[in-house]
Amino acid sequence: ETGVTQSPTHLIKTRGQQVTLRCSSQSGHNTVSWYQQALGQGPQFIFQYYREEENGRGNFPPRFSGLQFPNYSSELNVNALELDDSALYLCASSSPGAGGDTQYFGPGTRLTVL
Amino acid sequence: KQEVTQIPAALSVPEGENLVLNCSFTDSAIYNLQWFRQDPGKGLTSLLLIQSSQREQTSGRLNASLDKSSGRSTLYIAASQPGDSATYLCAAINQAGTALIFGKGTTLSVSS
């Protein structure tokens, strides 16, 4: 069974640029959630995708957007990067309703905005 | 709005001690509660999930309890080892079953 994978592992961008982060869900999971974790803080919920539709969103501006593909992998896009976007971005996959409410996290993508 | 608080923020213990990490949440209408471990710069590893209808879960040396009425959960670690050193995060999942709301974590250091 393959776990949750994310790419790239590290990324450096400058303010104003755009970035795309990728996540492959664990085999059999149809739901992907994205979280932002600033240094020294707990992760904060960005949004969740279930069967290719957005299924909940946290308190993040519209420049944070996402996609989920038919194979349940997902992308997080951030436009007009700001310095405060520097963080560890985590994705988690799950399969709610199948006795699998547990969310399984990937290793994260470390984004640095200069 | 759900808020999750973890006390203490940091904890240092000698190897072999039993210890308790505390988590409190403001809204008792949670779907379930999950405990995670995070090593520095890494992703999260799920330790235990407690459904809202349950009162505790056990896995090896770990035991997590949930008291919805008081808005509290505890993670008990028996016979701590240096390999237990990490940050422990608790998260309440909302009734919609979508978002995990995290505390800031407790950073545990176990010395040999």
Side-chain angles (χ1 to χ4, degrees):
Chain A
E1 184 178 270
T2 306
V4 179
T5 60
Q6 293 186 242
S7 63
T9 54
H10 295 87
L11 203 53
I12 299 175
K13 291 285 188 178
T14 57
R15 196 170 48 181
Q17 285 188 311
Q18 178 264 344
V19 68
T20 297
L21 310 182
R22 295 177 175 82
C23 172
S24 292
S25 60
Q26 186 165 313
S27 176
H29 287 181
N30 56 18
T31 301
V32 171
S33 304
W34 285 93
Y35 294 83
Q36 179 196 67
Q37 186 178 23
L39 204 60
Q41 303 294 315
Q44 291 204 332
F45 175 69
I46 303 175
F47 42 56
Q48 183 183 85
Y49 278 83
Y50 171 66
R51 294 185 175 179
E52 304 179 58
E53 298 285 334
E54 188 178 287
N55 188 43
R57 188 180 181 93
N59 190 26
F60 280 80
R63 60 189 185 84
F64 286 77
S65 63
L67 283 173
Q68 188 178 31
F69 300 100
N71 67 354
Y72 302 132
S73 65
S74 177
E75 287 183 353
L76 165 65
N77 299 290
V78 187
N79 294 322
L81 284 166
E82 301 177 359
L83 297 180
D84 284 350
D85 296 333
S86 295
L88 181 66
Y89 287 84
L90 297 162
C91 85
S93 75
S94 58
S95 189
D101 291 323
T102 300
Q103 295 197 16
Y104 295 91
F105 281 77
T109 293
R110 172 73 62 185
L111 173 64
T112 302
V113 182
L114 302 176
Chain B
K1 177 188 170 186
Q2 178 72 271
E3 292 183 4
V4 178
T5 304
Q6 292 187 248
I7 295 173
L11 185 61
S12 292
V13 300
E15 182 177 7
E17 273 206 6
N18 302 323
L19 55 101
V20 174
L21 307 182
N22 297 294
C23 171
S24 61
F25 46 94
T26 54
D27 185 353
S28 63
I30 60 171
Y31 187 61
N32 60 35
L33 188 132
Q34 198 165 355
W35 282 91
F36 295 89
R37 169 188 172 134
Q38 186 174 32
D39 292 292
K42 305 293 186 183
L44 277 61
T45 300
S46 177
L47 298 173
L48 291 164
L49 179 141
I50 311 175
Q51 302 279 2
S52 62
S53 58
Q54 299 173 322
R55 292 193 64 85
E56 65 178 312
Q57 282 286 332
T58 298
S59 176
R61 294 183 294 109
L62 305 179
N63 175 276
S65 67
L66 175 64
D67 184 343
K68 285 181 58 179
S69 61
S70 66
R72 294 174 189 264
S73 176
T74 60
L75 178 67
Y76 175 82
I77 302 177
S80 58
Q81 303 170 358
D84 294 331
S85 298
T87 296
Y88 291 81
L89 293 152
C90 76
I93 193 161
N94 60 7
Q95 279 286 337
T98 54
L100 283 168
I101 310 300
F102 284 87
K104 291 185 178 181
T106 294
T107 299
L108 173 65
S109 176
V110 182
S111 56
S112 56

